[in-house]
Amino acid sequence: MALRDRPRVLVTGGAGFLGSFLCERLVQDGHDVICVDNFYTGRRQNIFHLTPHENFEVLRHDITFSLYVEVDQIYNLACPASPVHYQYDPVQTTKTCVHGTINMLGLAKRCGARILQASTSEVYGDPQVHPQREDYWGHVNPTGPRACYDEAKRCAETLFFDYYRQHGTRIKVARIFNTYGPRMLHNDGRVISNFAVQALRGEPITIYGDGSQTRSFCYVEDLIDGLIRLMNSPDEVTGPINLGNPAEVTVKEVAEEIIALTGSRSTLSFHPLPQNDPVRRRPDISLATSVLGWQPTVPRAEGLKKTIAYFQSQLAGE
Ligand code: NAD
Ligand code: UDP
């Protein structure tokens, strides 16, 4: 196939954790991939192995500024995802999700491209409905420290549906629940990366609150498969659609699992719960299962082993 005949796919945030796995899959599938990233939380080493491929290209660019490329599909993943990083420069977080999303929707409109938004379970806030279905409107504090992310992601969804209604843009909205795996930053403050690194170093495991809050963790490769299925679904499938692993677990149980898998002597240390930290989170994925034929396949013990092995190799280089 000549290079120009391949589907041209833009991945914003392509040097980040999820973005790098997505770029890898798309390159393997023979697409012509443009990875756009401003390297705020992304790293060159995440995509270094892809650079020799003739169908892979990297652009350092901040999506809050206009971008002119010709593409058939856009995966809009650019945005820091961990609370520590998105709260570091909250105004930039909102700009990325709002100005950046307007720019990417404008690009999709001009090119007639399909565009997929990496939305989040945070649109449900601290949910009062459990498990969370797509028709739940959420329970979000609009002025708290998480609002720069939660409200900006909600606004991005609004923009997607307004472009769809107003301009007929071909949209896909994925609501991603907590996803983990290799290439998470070891210092991004997220629970799996924190606990794995702390356990491997034999340091205390920092549990916020009493550890009874729950999350449902999806292994990265399962999630990427869901994103690709959604992008390639018929036009009438717009979402929003939950993508995540419904296996719910308390934060304390995760700490104990990671201690057991690493054989660590780390002890648990308890710290104040961050403001507006959601109490319970579990996706209802019946829509993704019926519409996309998707469900996660990697059990947590297996995914955690791969993730721990990654951090082990990273720490060995320190
Ligand atoms: P990440 O921080 O590893 O990746 C985000 C990437 O976006 C980074 O490479 C960063 O440098 C880039 N970026 C940030 N602002 C940018 C800008 N203005 N212009 C260009 N690039 C920019 O996070 P991740 O976990 O890979 O998350 C990717 C996407 O998925 C995010 O949109 C996030 O909100 C969403 N998401 C992730 C999870 C999860 O559990 N990982 C859950 C829900 C939603
Ligand atoms: N958490 C914790 N210790 C840590 C990091 C996080 O107890 O060292 C808790 C955090 O308070 C939250 C859960 O783990 O209840 C998931 O946190 P994360 O930042 O990974 O994701 P999010 O809160 O965005 O779901």
Side-chain angles (χ1 to χ4, degrees), residues 180-182 192 219 261 298-309:
Y180 70 100
I192 301 281
Y219 188 64
L261 286 168
V298 181
R300 200 167 54 249
E302 191 184 317
L304 285 177
K305 272 186 207 156
K306 291 183 182 175
T307 309
I308 289 166

Side-chain angles (χ1 to χ4, degrees), residues 17-18 37-38 40-42 62-63 77 96 149 153 179 190:
F17 162 50
L18 297 182
D37 206 294
N38 68 352
Y40 177 58
T41 50
D62 181 326
I63 63 157
L77 271 61
T96 294
Y149 183 77
K153 287 283 190 178
T179 302
R190 284 189 262 193

Side-chain angles (χ1 to χ4, degrees), residues 8-314:
R8 294 157 304 178
V9 186
L10 172 64
V11 179
T12 77
F17 162 50
L18 297 182
S20 62
F21 278 93
L22 179 60
C23 286
E24 196 171 286
R25 256 291 297 273
L26 294 168
V27 166
Q28 278 165 9
D29 291 349
H31 299 303
D32 202 1
V33 178
I34 304 175
C35 162
V36 161
D37 206 294
N38 68 352
F39 295 101
Y40 177 58
T41 50
R43 289 176 296 176
R44 280 192 207 86
Q45 77 179 72
N46 287 345
I47 47 168
F48 194 65
H49 62 294
L50 298 176
T51 49
H53 291 265
E54 60 162 3
N55 55 333
F56 182 71
E57 185 182 349
V58 186
L59 292 179
R60 178 188 282 268
H61 176 80
D62 181 326
I63 63 157
T64 61
F65 297 96
S66 303
L67 176 68
Y68 292 93
V69 288
E70 303 303 321
V71 288
D72 304 304
Q73 296 183 349
I74 303 168
Y75 288 87
N76 189 34
L77 271 61
C79 180
S82 88
V84 171
H85 289 139
Y86 70 64
Q87 290 174 24
Y88 178 76
D89 187 349
V91 174
Q92 174 66 12
T93 300
T94 299
K95 276 190 188 168
T96 294
C97 292
V98 178
H99 295 196
T101 297
I102 290 173
N103 287 334
M104 292 307 108
L105 283 162
L107 178 63
K109 182 180 157 208
R110 181 177 61 75
C111 295
R114 278 191 176 177
I115 180 165
L116 181 148
Q117 171 66 358
S119 190
T120 167
S121 52
E122 293 281 340
V123 300
Y124 302 122
D126 188 1
Q128 294 179 316
V129 168
H130 195 79
Q132 292 79 56
R133 280 166 43 117
E134 292 83 352
D135 55 6
Y136 176 50
W137 290 354
H139 180 230
V140 176
N141 175 354
T143 61
R146 296 176 86 100
C148 60
Y149 183 77
D150 300 9
E151 294 290 18
K153 287 283 190 178
R154 286 167 67 95
C155 182
E157 287 200 10
T158 306
L159 286 163
F160 262 65
F161 279 87
D162 284 334
Y163 266 75
Y164 172 66
R165 285 183 289 256
Q166 199 173 332
H167 301 300
T169 308
R170 297 190 296 157
I171 63 156
K172 309 279 177 187
V173 175
R175 289 186 180 152
I176 303 170
F177 283 64
N178 296 64
T179 302
Y180 70 100
R183 299 191 202 143
M184 295 180 87
L185 289 173
H186 75 278
N187 61 351
D188 75 359
R190 284 189 262 193
V191 65
I192 301 281
S193 43
N194 267 11
F195 288 2
V197 170
Q198 289 161 347
L200 288 168
R201 287 180 171 154
E203 293 170 355
I205 307 284
T206 54
I207 296 198
Y208 302 157
D210 62 4
S212 63
Q213 70 270 36
T214 68
R215 294 293 186 274
S216 305
F217 296 99
C218 186
Y219 188 64
V220 59
E221 282 169 0
D222 279 334
L223 193 274
I224 298 304
D225 183 51
L227 292 180
I228 290 175
R229 283 178 191 239
L230 176 58
M231 178 61 99
N232 294 299
S233 61
D235 275 349
E236 58 272 22
V237 180
T238 59
I241 193 157
N242 290 338
L243 293 178
N245 189 323
E248 186 180 3
V249 66
T250 69
V251 163
K252 189 158 173 271
E253 284 162 347
V254 173
E256 285 159 353
E257 286 175 5
I258 292 178
I259 288 175
L261 286 168
T262 50
S264 171
R265 291 190 184 166
S266 290
T267 53
L268 304 184
S269 78
F270 292 85
H271 301 264
L273 195 64
Q275 206 183 333
N276 300 143
D277 198 281
V279 176
R280 294 185 76 186
R281 182 181 289 155
R282 173 156 70 96
D284 179 324
I285 59 162
S286 40
L287 189 60
T289 305
S290 64
V291 173
L292 307 177
W294 177 84
Q295 58 183 19
T297 60
V298 181
R300 200 167 54 249
E302 191 184 317
L304 285 177
K305 272 186 207 156
K306 291 183 182 175
T307 309
I308 289 166
Y310 169 78
F311 283 118
Q312 213 154 15
S313 69
Q314 295 286 298

